[in-house]
Amino acid sequence: MAKDIFAAGIAEHFTKTVETTFLLREITRKETQENKKQYYDILLQDSSGTLWGTIWEELMEDCHADLKGMVVAVKALVTKDSQGASRLVVRRMEAAGEYLITIW
């Protein structure tokens, strides 16, 4: 699969759903302060930079934590956080079956 959507250019896709691949650098289980809703806070990376994302509790799977350090395929809505930085709301995340690696 050729990668055509990168972290550095994700803002161009604001309010759109994207499907692409990233390295899953971090995944942490958290909960909101106001209503204790569970979610995963994730850090994704590609050759252009890093990008934070969220997987809300209704879409969380136990196997997601096992994907840390792997290339993952995501389907996500591009949003912005309270500081205006782009962020993904992940609808699906799974180990990527096929991906292109660029070596510098």
Side-chain angles (χ1 to χ4, degrees), residues 58-70:
E58 56 272 7
L59 298 172
M60 288 171 62
E61 296 179 16
D62 291 335
C63 66
H64 283 151
D66 298 333
L67 298 174
K68 182 178 177 181
M70 297 177 65

